[in-house]
């Protein structure tokens, strides 16, 4: 952005500030914000979120704008217990809620956009700048929403063109050469049909420079999105809602910097990392009013094609890289029926089906320096037979480039039946009970070929004990199929006591799960293991043949000399078993029981709202992401179990008609509970789950008699930590805080907003990990400010 133009624009905005001294206070902020958070009808629920026995947080249009929430990663700390680190690329959507979460693999927190489910984590970080409302439901939502909602659920709703018309235009410019633009048109040509169409573009100039590649920005990116939604009401009994979203993303990414060495604190790797994604989502909601109940049929289709390339040694050395290509197609179908016009008994039943085709290519490529390094790793595992009268062994890989990985097809089938009822037991006391039965089948077909050439030598000082084998060849490969299936029963029960206008209190118990699966990145390790095994086998056969050709029939060599040498070699060579692919790559589903008590309270005619909850979660077969044994990629493994205990609190207070304060706090004590596991003892904290999350925000709105008709001032503060990055808790991020602010002024349909993020320029790690004995991290984004222009035509 042209800095002179930006500063001139900022000067104009600040010059308008004196008119704020003449502010009128006739309009009510409380009324405006209450109207903004509208009740959204869902296919499965009968009441608004604060009337249900669960812990939740909702954001309306103005709150999303004030907090600059244009994607799910911006929700961190604004929701108690929620942590979504912003690092890497849009491929990575690690969501942790109440100490339950996932770094890779299947998500632990589900996500819906306009009631259409998103299939996997790679599709969750998408442009949400057109969101009208975002709900975050905490705790397992498996009874109504099924798999992969063990931690909670995020629901996104866009503006409804039936109730909102016009054209919205947004332009934004910020430091670090960040630009955004969006235009969306909402039109209702008839009483029975309305549609919206929009397009948005964002350019990220990048915050971090790669010192090893000409000082270019490592995290530069471009993002283009297009959206269409149409609502057709052919009769008073039928409503059709069709939506389509496409997003194209091209990013750099993975600006990981070493924490020690000559490049400490600097991004410095020799191969450019990148991420390219095509994402298409299409959904149809068909509602049928059948008198005493409502029938909803929801069909969704999602297509994801992406390509990630990463310089995985993150250094100036040319060791190895990882490329992962995904091609995913997901079809989902759900039929739900819910009762109508019943006060004593409300119920919802349904059936769902989802099938995902997922093809993945994930080769790890070793370059010359990497091949030499891998040779060194192998040689370090070989014995030195000098004490046995021979000498040290050595193997030398001869490939200039060595690729390990393959092609994997991992389809997943999921289907389920569910029912939930809410019955009024006595006046003000209701019971909600339900159960879901899910069946899941997943399989993996793998083609992972390999080929390596190497030399072998025993460098003995005695000529008769020397061995030299040249041009040996091995083909470490895996070809095959494996599959697994699971049944899950997901019950839920809760009691709620209605306090009238004051609110309600509740107690609940529920069960959730997230899917198991297969680690395709594990195959690099499996191929390395198989390569070493075949190397040992080739060395054994080749050495014996070499010695027999050298000594058999030689009258000067005593009988049994070859057997003696081979006995010494074999007794000292490491024993390596052929890997069992099904056991090594598979990780089991994770299940959890959630016990919760809470309350939703309203005081002073809605001027003060408070939500409180306490929870206890027992998780079995906890899925943990950790670096593979080779350090070349992350894999998911099952811990024994974990326990998460904590509390959540949020308060929204309207101190005057124009001034409001909102605050939230979440405390989570999530620990691993390894029964009888000496390698990983109990009471390590669960990685990636912050112990504390908190936010405080204040907003003042008013009106003037000048050119500036309306204005609002927002200031916020948020924090998270301590966050442990590894299973062993040897790397962590202490609690850190950041502050944001926004000044908005409005004239007719024009709004100008001056904003700043991370005003204190807090330095913190957004992500941290260890590999090959080194520690790497990505810093969080620094102080940034910019200007937004919004215009309704």
């Amino acid at each position: 952005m042209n800095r002179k133009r930006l500063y001139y624009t900022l000067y104009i905005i600040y010059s308008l500030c004196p008119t704020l001294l003449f502010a009128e206070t006739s309009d009510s902020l409380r009324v405006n914000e209450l109207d903004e958070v509208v009740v959204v009808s869902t296919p499965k629920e009968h009441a608004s979120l604060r009337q249900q026995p669960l812990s939740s947080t909702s954001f309306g249009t103005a709150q999303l704008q004030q907090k600059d929430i244009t994607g799910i990663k911006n929700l961190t700390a604004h929701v108690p217990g929620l942590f979504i680190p912003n690092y890497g690329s849009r491929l990575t959507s690690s969501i942790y809620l109440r100490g339950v979460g996932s770094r890779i693999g299947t998500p632990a927190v589900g996500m819906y956009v306009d009631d259409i489910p998103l299939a996997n984590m790679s599709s969750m970080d998408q442009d949400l700048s057109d969101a009208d409302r975002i709900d975050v439901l905490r705790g397992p939502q498996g009874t109504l929403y099924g798999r992969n909602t063990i931690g909670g659920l995020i629901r996104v709703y866009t503006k409804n063109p039936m109730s909102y018309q016009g054209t919205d235009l947004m332009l934004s410019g910020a430091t670090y050469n960040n630009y955004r633009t969006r235009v969306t048109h909402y039109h209702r040509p008839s009483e029975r049909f309305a549609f919206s169409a929009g397009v948005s573009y964002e350019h990220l100039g990048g915050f971090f420079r790669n010192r090893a590649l000409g000082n270019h920005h490592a995290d530069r990116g471009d993002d283009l999105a297009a959206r269409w939604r149409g609502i057709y009401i052919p009769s008073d009994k039928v409503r059709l809602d069709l939506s389509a979203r496409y997003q194209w993303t091209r990013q750099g990414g993975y600006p990981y910097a070493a924490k020690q060495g000559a490049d400490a604190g600097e991004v410095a790797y020799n191969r450019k990392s990148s991420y390219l994604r095509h994402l298409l989502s299409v959904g149809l909601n068909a509602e049928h009013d059948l008198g005493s109940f409502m029938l909803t049929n929801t069909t969704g289709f999602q297509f994801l094609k992406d390509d990630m390339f990463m310089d995985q040694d993150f250094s100036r050395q040319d060791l190895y890289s990882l490329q992962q290509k995904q091609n995913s197609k997901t079809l989902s179908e759900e039929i739900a029926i819910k009762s109508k016009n019943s006060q004593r008994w409300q119920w919802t039943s349904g059936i769902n089906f989802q099938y995902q085709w997922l093809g993945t290519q994930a080769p790890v490529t070793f370059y010359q320096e990497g091949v030499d390094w891998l040779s060194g790793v192998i040689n370090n595992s070989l014995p030195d037979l000098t004490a046995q009268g021979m000498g040290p062994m050595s193997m030398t890989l001869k490939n200039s480039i060595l690729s390990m990985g393959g092609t994997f097809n991992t389809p997943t089938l999921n289907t389920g039946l569910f029912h939930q009822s809410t019955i009024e037991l006595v006046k003000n006391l209701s019971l909600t009970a339900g159960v879901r039965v899910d069946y899941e089948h997943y399989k993996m077909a793998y083609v992972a070929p390999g080929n390596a050439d190497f030399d072998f030598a025993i460098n003995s000082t005695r000529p008769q004990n020397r061995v030299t084998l040249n041009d040996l060849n091995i083909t470490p490969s895996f070809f095959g199929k494996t599959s697994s299936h699971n049944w899950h029963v997901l019950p839920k029960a809760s009691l709620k006591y209605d306090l009238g206008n004051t609110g309600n209190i509740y107690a609940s118990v529920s069960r959730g799960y997230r899917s198991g699966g297969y680690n395709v990145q594990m195959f690099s390790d499996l191929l390395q293991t198989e390569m070493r095994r075949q190397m040992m086998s080739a060395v054994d056969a080749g050495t014996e043949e070499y010695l027999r050709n050298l000594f058999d029939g030689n009258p000067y060599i005593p009988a049994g000399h070859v057997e003696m040498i081979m006995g010494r070699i074999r007794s000292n060579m490491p024993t390596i078993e052929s890997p069992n692919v099904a056991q090594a790559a598979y990780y089991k589903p994770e299940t959890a029981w959630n016990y919760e008590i809470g309350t939703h309270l309203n005081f002073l005619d809605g001027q003060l709202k408070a939500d409180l909850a306490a929870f206890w979660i027992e998780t079995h077969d906890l899925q943990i992401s950790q670096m593979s044994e080779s350090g070349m990629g992350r894999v998911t493994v099952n811990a024994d179990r974990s326990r998460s205990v904590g509390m959540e609190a949020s308060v929204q207070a309207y101190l005057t008609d124009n001034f409001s304060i909102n605050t939230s706090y979440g405390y989570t004590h999530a620990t691993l509970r390894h029964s009888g596991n000496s390698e990983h003892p109990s009471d390590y904290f669960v990685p990636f789950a912050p112990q504390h999350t908190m936010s405080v925000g204040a907003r003042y709105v008013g009106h003037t008699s000048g050119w500036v008709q309306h204005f609002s001032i927002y200031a916020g503060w948020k924090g998270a930590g301590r966050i442990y990055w590894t299973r062993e808790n040897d790397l962590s991020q202490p609690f850190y805080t950041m502050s944001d602010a926004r000044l908005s002024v409005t004239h007719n349909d024009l709004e100008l907003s001056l904003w700043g993020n991370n005003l204190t320029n807090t330095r913190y790690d957004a992500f941290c990990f260890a590999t090959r004995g080194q520690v790497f991290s990505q810093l969080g984004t620094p102080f940034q400010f910019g200007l937004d222009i919004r215009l309704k035509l």
Side-chain angles (χ1 to χ4, degrees), residues 112-138:
Y112 282 62
V113 178
D114 288 330
D115 292 322
I116 304 299
L118 300 186
N120 51 43
M121 293 175 61
S122 300
S123 61
M124 289 184 173
D125 187 9
Q126 57 179 266
D127 175 53
L128 300 178
S129 59
D130 61 335
D132 189 48
R133 174 189 173 104
I134 295 180
D135 299 331
V136 180
L137 286 62
R138 297 186 286 276

Side-chain angles (χ1 to χ4, degrees), residues 344-411:
R344 292 293 302 274
W345 178 32
Q346 298 174 335
W347 55 267
T348 300
S349 296
I351 183 173
N352 84 290
F353 166 86
Q354 186 179 88
Y355 191 85
Q356 181 181 39
W357 298 264
L358 176 60
T360 307
Q361 299 178 41
V364 174
T365 302
F366 294 85
Y367 306 101
Q368 186 61 66
E369 288 183 66
V371 171
D372 295 340
W373 171 80
L374 188 58
S375 295
V377 172
I378 295 173
N379 284 323
N380 288 336
S381 66
L382 296 177
D384 186 343
L385 301 181
T386 303
Q388 286 78 24
M390 301 179 70
M393 296 181 177
S394 66
M395 290 183 180
T396 304
L397 287 166
K398 300 178 65 177
N399 305 67
S400 58
I401 294 180
L402 187 62
S403 181
M404 293 186 179
T407 301
F408 312 93
N409 290 312
T410 52

Side-chain angles (χ1 to χ4, degrees), residues 769-789:
F769 62 97
T771 180
R772 298 184 297 108
Q774 294 179 303
V775 178
F776 296 87
S777 72
Q778 178 179 328
L779 292 177
T781 54
F783 164 65
Q784 185 182 28
F785 68 93
L787 177 68
D788 295 348
I789 302 174

Side-chain angles (χ1 to χ4, degrees), residues 521-530 579 628-632:
Q521 288 190 14
M522 174 72 77
F523 275 79
S524 174
D525 281 18
L526 298 180
L527 287 168
Q528 288 182 59
T529 301
E530 179 64 11
S628 62
E629 290 186 9
S630 66
M632 299 167 198

Side-chain angles (χ1 to χ4, degrees), residues 86-89 92 103 208-210 218-219 253-259 263 265-269 273 310-315 634 766-769 771 775-779:
N86 188 5
Y87 69 94
S89 71
T92 308
R103 163 69 178 82
F208 308 101
R209 295 181 179 273
N210 189 336
D219 55 333
Y254 316 102
Y256 303 146
K259 281 185 169 290
D263 290 314
E266 299 287 353
V267 180
Y269 48 78
S273 297
M310 181 190 298
D311 183 343
Q312 208 170 8
D313 58 80
F314 313 113
S315 69
R634 286 190 167 266
F767 179 53
C768 188
F769 62 97
T771 180
V775 178
F776 296 87
S777 72
Q778 178 179 328
L779 292 177

Side-chain angles (χ1 to χ4, degrees), residues 88-109:
S89 71
R90 288 191 184 271
L91 170 70
T92 308
S93 299
S94 305
I95 308 177
Y96 283 78
L97 186 55
R98 289 187 169 181
V100 178
S102 57
R103 163 69 178 82
I104 59 174
T106 55
V109 177

